[in-house]
Amino acid sequence: MSEVNETPLFPPEFDIGFIRRRRPWLRLLPETMVRRRWEARGRAAGLQATAPAVRADFLRLFSAHRPILEIGPLDRPMVRGEGVAYFDVLDQAGLIEKIRNNPRRTGEVPPIDYVSPIGDLRIVDRKFRAVCSSHAIEHQPDLVKHLVDVADLLEDGGFYFVLMPDKRFCFDHFGPETTIADVVEAHRLKREVHGLRTIVQHIGLQTHNETMRHWRGAHLDPNYAADTPARVRRALALYDRSKGSYIDAHAWRFTPTSFRSTVDQMKVLGLTPFVPLRVYDTPHPRVEFAAILQKRL
């Protein structure tokens, strides 16, 4: 393994200075006691332990890392300006048409520098100091291939900045949490599209997507169990109609803890050159968590 120094480029996952600034009454307690209290109760309650756990502060970390490639910017790029390039499955005109009638459209689609209808990152012909994506990683049919392809675009020591949904607080709540077994199977099968199991889980087990309700512990839709067979039938019909073509779905369901563990295991198994440098816990009342992976050969 080549040596890459872990300099203090990014705030720690547990930042005692941040916590004491937010909660001055904790200044009298030793750090070890504050940490124990947070790990015992604060983490599960979503008490924010570091600034980059929130999207706006996470995005500020990108400024010192150019050139940077963003995957799937749509109309709300994570990063703009000099030294930024964009990759997507459609060009700018195609993305504008795709979201024309989407009520969530709030910004402008940037010009797309690299376009691959099948999402093949290997068409990108240069190296970057960093890559970033928002709510894209969970859609990849083969997570190993995705991370290998991203790593191939990075200099050694480069970073992959990732935002992804926490399965506990979105429609994925009742779907099974991803394990290394799922990751290895998809890679061995060389998945280029999602399999039947993924489509059934994505549609058949889907619940509501109201983040605050999930934080309050209200995960079930009315008649969730009774309606499950109908959702599974819809999933089967969609899969049959697709005749093997790509169906968009969440293939991977992580919490911050399980994501760190899975990437660690992938690294040990030689499936990825990435290490999970930072995995920030999901803060209340958010739906997503942030992670920074670093390429280490």
Side-chain angles (χ1 to χ4, degrees):
M1 180 184 297
S2 63
E3 293 296 324
V4 178
N5 293 327
E6 184 186 325
T7 54
L9 291 169
F10 307 113
E13 294 157 358
F14 180 88
D15 186 341
I16 187 63
F18 172 85
I19 290 173
R20 285 173 171 163
R21 288 192 297 273
R22 295 280 293 266
R23 302 171 183 85
W25 61 90
L26 295 176
R27 292 174 182 169
L28 299 177
L29 297 180
E31 179 178 349
T32 54
M33 183 177 293
V34 176
R35 182 185 288 271
R36 282 200 302 270
R37 289 186 174 189
W38 180 77
E39 290 178 347
R41 299 187 297 274
R43 188 199 299 268
L47 294 180
Q48 187 178 345
T50 187
V54 172
R55 174 182 282 254
D57 288 298
F58 184 64
L59 301 189
R60 293 190 182 100
L61 302 181
F62 299 4
S63 61
H65 302 281
R66 310 289 175 98
I68 184 169
L69 175 73
E70 178 169 356
I71 299 170
L74 277 180
D75 61 321
R76 289 178 288 180
M78 303 168 75
V79 60
R80 293 183 183 270
E82 187 176 353
V84 179
Y86 299 107
F87 171 93
D88 216 311
V89 297
L90 297 171
D91 61 13
Q92 183 185 39
L95 291 172
I96 290 172
E97 181 61 29
K98 176 182 177 180
I99 65 174
R100 182 180 302 279
N101 298 317
N102 188 333
R104 295 182 65 243
R105 179 180 178 182
T106 59
E108 296 297 325
V109 176
I112 306 301
D113 301 277
Y114 301 99
V115 178
S116 168
I118 60 172
D120 186 359
L121 286 167
R122 292 172 296 180
I123 69 163
V124 181
D125 58 359
R126 57 179 291 202
K127 295 282 188 179
F128 295 87
R129 178 61 183 161
V131 174
C132 64
S133 70
S134 175
H135 292 242
I137 199 169
E138 67 273 12
H139 294 266
Q140 306 301 320
D142 181 349
L143 183 58
V144 172
K145 181 180 184 301
H146 175 71
L147 293 181
V148 168
D149 288 348
V150 170
D152 285 345
L153 301 177
L154 289 170
E155 306 164 358
D156 189 22
F159 303 103
Y160 186 17
F161 296 96
V162 176
L163 283 164
M164 72 189 81
D166 186 323
K167 75 169 293 287
R168 297 171 296 178
F169 308 117
C170 69
F171 57 71
D172 282 333
H173 182 86
F174 292 116
E177 194 164 350
T178 294
T179 71
I180 190 64
D182 304 312
V183 172
V184 170
E185 179 185 52
H187 185 56
R188 281 291 185 96
L189 293 174
K190 301 185 184 300
R191 289 218 180 274
E192 296 181 352
V193 297
H194 297 301
L196 177 60
R197 176 189 292 267
T198 295
I199 305 305
V200 171
Q201 290 174 345
H202 179 76
I203 298 174
L205 303 184
Q206 188 174 116
T207 186
H208 69 81
N209 206 34
E210 298 176 41
T211 302
M212 282 302 300
R213 284 180 60 196
H214 285 298
W215 274 102
R216 291 195 298 266
H219 306 300
L220 283 168
D221 274 330
N223 303 314
Y224 176 84
D227 292 342
T228 296
R231 292 193 305 273
V232 172
R233 290 190 193 99
R234 289 199 300 272
L236 293 171
L238 178 63
Y239 183 82
D240 290 340
R241 289 197 305 271
S242 75
K243 300 186 184 302
S245 61
Y246 180 81
I247 302 170
D248 193 29
H250 284 193
W252 314 109
R253 299 172 185 85
F254 289 113
T255 67
T257 299
S258 65
F259 182 71
R260 172 183 286 282
S261 173
T262 300
V263 176
D264 274 335
Q265 292 165 355
M266 292 169 70
K267 176 65 174 172
V268 172
L269 290 167
L271 297 174
T272 178
F274 283 118
V275 296
L277 188 65
R278 299 285 188 271
V279 182
Y280 297 115
D281 283 284
T282 311
H284 182 277
R286 313 284 175 151
V287 70
E288 64 188 1
F289 66 95
I292 305 171
L293 309 182
Q294 186 176 32
K295 179 180 177 180
R296 295 186 185 176
L297 300 178

